[in-house]
Amino acid sequence: MTAPAPAPAQEARPAPLRVLICDEMNPGELQHEGFEIDYEGNMAREETLRRLPNYDALITRSRTRVDRELIDAAGPRLKVIGRGGVGVDNIDLDYASLRGLLILNAPESNNVSAAELAVMHLMAAARGLTRSDRKTRAGDWDRKFLGMELKDKTLGIVGLGRIGSIVADRAQGLRMRVVAYDPYVPESKFERLGVTRAATLDELLAQVDALTVHTPLTEETRGMIGAEQLARLRPGAIAVNAARGGIIDEQALVDALGSGHLFAAGVDVFEDEPPAPDHPFLGAPNLGITAHLGANTAEAQERVGAEIVSRVLAALQGDVSKGAVNAPALDAKTLEALGGYLTLGEKLGRILAQLLPGAHDLEVTFRGEFPADPAPVVTSALVGYLSGHTDETPNMINARALARERGLNIAVREETESPDYQTEVIVRLTSGGGGEKQRTRTVGGTVFGRSPRLTRLRDFRVELEPEGHILIASNQDKPGAVAKLSALLGGWGVNIAGMALGRAQKGGQALFTLTLDDGLSPEQLAQVRALDVIDSAYLVRV
């Protein structure tokens, strides 16, 4: 009698990756092959601390504080933390990064809702909705108020990112003409959206009937729409801020409404939230106010939950291309070899962002033999170039994706020989069309030890440490240029910390850079450019 054949051995299935959702949200589908997702909204902190060591990822909203205590309690299994929505104020990013945790969010989920709220404020301001509502409730049946039609009016948009682009589309649906100012967006995007480009903010302000801002809040954009800028708007214009508190100066907006220069305005954001009972907005005439409701729609909240779950699952499988807030540390060997070059790349990118925003081509050339594959330096240059000018904060994970989204083409060249230094990184930007409209800017640098040095500006050789405020000036190679400029700076009490000179040939075009202890105001920079010995001058901050 023959013995029965043994049953084939069953392959052991890998244990599922576990995800804990501890705050209320609409997470969408929770059944995903290879994952076990536990959803318990409003989980008590003590319960979260107790259960978290058994999970590979945690998803929160703003309620749960992801602080040192929680991160330490999680133990080594936790790899990813997802935050539904935009902000990550409830997460200790520095400590999470130190522990090697990847932090994700889902900012794009709110884009449509935020854009529609801005359009709502625009329409409400045009028709006096909040004014009429307030008077009618008070028993004043006022039918004499005359609003304005938006059809055939010109809308000015500051910041043509994701939300600004949606606002442009909706405004065009209202038959408005749309003009935008965003020096960091290439011409191709304006053409694709059918939006007229304003070369400067002043050019935009002078031609619009309504203004709305959609830009990140940075040192550059804080207060960028102040009393002077509001005065440049056409009399009877509308202003809307549904982006970040402080982009439009609050007191200046109240004053422009009180004087009658502005017809009406709408705001969804304050510098300090919630506002104090005596905040000037609360008593301002013809001002519509909402309580930072840009993301507060059922649809946006549903997208936020489903999107952050999708991104966390992708990250656990190795795809970290979407929503990364922090960049995981490079391995120690790469960081040791390229640390100075990564810093250099970011500084070169920051300089170019100020010299030629809105480029469409970026080319990085590596010259010489580098201690490791220099590819991460390209990404660090993109981080520097995009910093402060995108809806998301660029980092080593998302910078390439953000660059592609903005229409920036990336090319890399490698040359085995470096004629002047052991290694050199050269970054070249191109913007505009062909021929005379095309503009290029080139910067280069190297690393001495671990210290970055600027070695090239345009076709000129320089050598200085890229730190602080750098004044870049070109002139004809004749005596007296540096002396005149130094005298002007000295009269303002601006100290020169360093200097580098370069020229193409004797008596030809020359370039010199001055590292300054302090920056210059726009008026001071204009006086520098007006010197008879100066052909051009730019101030960059690194």
Side-chain angles (χ1 to χ4, degrees):
M1 187 173 179
T2 304
Q10 298 250 344
E11 289 188 11
R13 290 187 177 182
L17 295 166
R18 302 191 69 197
V19 179
L20 176 63
I21 305 174
C22 65
D23 285 346
E24 279 193 356
M25 64 180 68
N26 186 339
E29 176 59 51
L30 295 179
Q31 301 300 318
H32 296 268
E33 186 176 353
F35 296 94
E36 181 181 316
I37 303 174
D38 294 331
Y39 170 54
E40 187 174 329
N42 290 324
M43 180 181 287
R45 183 174 178 85
E46 294 75 16
E47 183 70 1
T48 304
L49 292 170
R50 184 184 69 82
R51 293 175 57 177
L52 195 53
N54 299 314
Y55 290 87
D56 302 279
L58 173 70
I59 296 177
T60 76
R61 290 300 303 266
S62 59
R63 184 187 69 95
T64 297
R65 287 183 297 106
V66 184
D67 52 16
R68 288 190 175 219
E69 180 188 32
L70 188 142
I71 292 170
D72 287 339
R77 180 168 178 174
L78 189 70
K79 300 295 186 298
V80 179
I81 297 173
R83 162 64 163 91
V86 179
V88 289
D89 296 342
N90 59 312
I91 300 175
D92 188 334
L93 281 178
D94 290 338
Y95 192 64
S97 300
L98 184 65
R99 292 291 303 272
L101 296 173
L102 177 65
I103 310 301
L104 306 172
N105 67 353
E108 307 96 324
S109 305
N110 304 329
N111 289 348
V112 170
S113 295
E116 288 184 354
L117 184 73
V119 174
M120 182 278 293
H121 270 294
L122 176 65
M123 299 181 72
R127 297 307 303 269
L129 187 150
T130 55
R131 176 187 183 279
S132 183
D133 178 81
R134 183 177 64 254
K135 297 188 76 170
T136 302
R137 291 176 187 275
D140 183 1
W141 186 252
D142 181 8
R143 297 193 64 232
K144 296 180 181 179
F145 178 80
L146 291 178
M148 69 167 70
E149 289 186 352
L150 295 177
K151 179 178 178 290
D152 296 328
K153 298 296 192 300
T154 299
L155 174 65
I157 299 176
V158 178
L160 200 60
R162 291 171 177 152
I163 296 174
S165 298
I166 298 172
V167 171
D169 175 73
R170 303 301 191 267
Q172 288 165 335
L174 295 172
R175 304 291 181 87
M176 297 187 77
R177 172 178 176 261
V178 181
V179 183
Y181 169 69
D182 192 330
Y184 304 100
V185 169
E187 187 66 35
S188 57
K189 184 171 185 179
F190 283 83
E191 295 172 355
R192 186 172 71 251
L193 295 174
V195 173
T196 302
R197 180 169 209 151
T200 65
L201 179 58
D202 285 349
E203 180 184 312
L204 174 84
L205 297 172
Q207 61 178 308
V208 302
D209 303 291
L211 175 74
T212 181
V213 294
H214 301 284
T215 183
L217 182 64
T218 65
E219 183 177 334
E220 179 185 0
T221 62
R222 183 180 295 278
M224 73 182 300
I225 308 297
E228 184 179 341
Q229 287 72 34
L230 291 172
R232 289 196 173 98
L233 291 170
R234 292 174 177 172
I238 291 171
V240 172
N241 183 8
R244 295 289 185 272
I247 295 174
I248 299 180
D249 182 89
E250 293 183 339
Q251 188 58 53
L253 181 63
V254 171
D255 293 343
L257 288 166
S259 70
H261 179 68
L262 290 183
F263 179 77
V267 296
D268 183 50
V269 287
F270 294 72
E271 286 194 64
D272 297 308
E273 297 179 351
D278 60 349
H279 193 286
F281 276 0
L282 303 183
N286 299 331
L287 176 63
I289 298 172
T290 48
H292 206 148
L293 300 180
N296 286 26
T297 63
E299 294 83 356
Q301 295 309 304
E302 184 173 343
R303 284 194 297 269
V304 163
E307 185 64 28
I308 194 60
V309 169
S310 172
R311 292 182 176 189
V312 165
L313 300 189
L316 288 173
Q317 293 178 313
D319 180 2
V320 295
S321 61
K322 291 184 178 180
V325 175
N326 65 336
L330 296 170
D331 64 87
K333 184 177 180 181
T334 301
L335 192 59
E336 176 65 25
L338 292 178
Y341 292 99
L342 296 173
T343 304
L344 171 67
E346 185 167 347
K347 288 179 179 291
L348 296 179
R350 286 183 183 276
I351 292 172
L352 283 169
Q354 297 166 78
L355 295 179
L356 190 62
H360 56 68
D361 288 308
L362 180 144
E363 180 185 86
V364 180
T365 301
F366 296 109
R367 288 181 171 179
E369 296 295 330
F370 286 76
D373 181 359
V377 180
V378 178
T379 308
S380 68
L382 291 171
V383 170
Y385 185 71
L386 298 171
S387 289
H389 310 304
T390 61
D391 296 335
E392 292 184 56
T393 301
N395 55 48
M396 294 295 286
I397 296 173
N398 63 17
R400 286 180 179 264
L402 291 175
R404 286 194 299 271
E405 184 180 89
R406 296 176 77 85
L408 185 61
N409 302 312
I410 303 164
V412 180
R413 297 174 55 199
E414 295 190 21
E415 299 175 5
T416 57
E417 298 295 328
S418 179
D420 301 298
Y421 299 91
Q422 184 175 349
T423 57
E424 191 173 21
V425 180
I426 300 172
V427 185
R428 175 187 173 93
L429 279 178
T430 305
S431 72
E436 294 182 359
K437 291 186 177 181
Q438 183 167 292
R439 300 170 62 206
T440 63
R441 292 291 184 271
T442 304
V443 296
T446 189
V447 174
F448 297 155
R450 294 184 66 85
S451 178
R453 289 290 189 276
L454 197 62
T455 60
R456 176 190 295 268
L457 283 166
R458 290 167 33 192
D459 294 325
F460 299 97
R461 282 295 185 188
V462 297
E463 189 173 306
L464 77 156
E465 189 174 356
E467 289 290 345
H469 302 274
I470 302 176
L471 180 62
I472 304 169
S474 65
N475 65 297
Q476 292 299 309
D477 185 27
K478 297 178 181 179
V482 176
K484 282 192 175 183
L485 179 53
S486 299
L488 187 62
L489 296 174
W492 295 328
V494 177
N495 188 52
I496 298 174
M499 179 184 298
L501 306 175
R503 65 182 182 182
Q505 60 185 22
K506 184 177 179 180
Q509 188 76 18
L511 180 141
F512 61 95
T513 59
L514 303 177
T515 304
L516 309 178
D517 286 344
D518 303 292
L520 300 178
S521 68
E523 293 75 19
Q524 289 173 325
L525 185 58
Q527 289 186 52
V528 170
R529 290 170 172 162
L531 288 174
D532 58 1
V533 292
I534 298 298
D535 293 336
S536 66
Y538 300 90
L539 184 71
V540 298
R541 183 175 181 180
V542 186

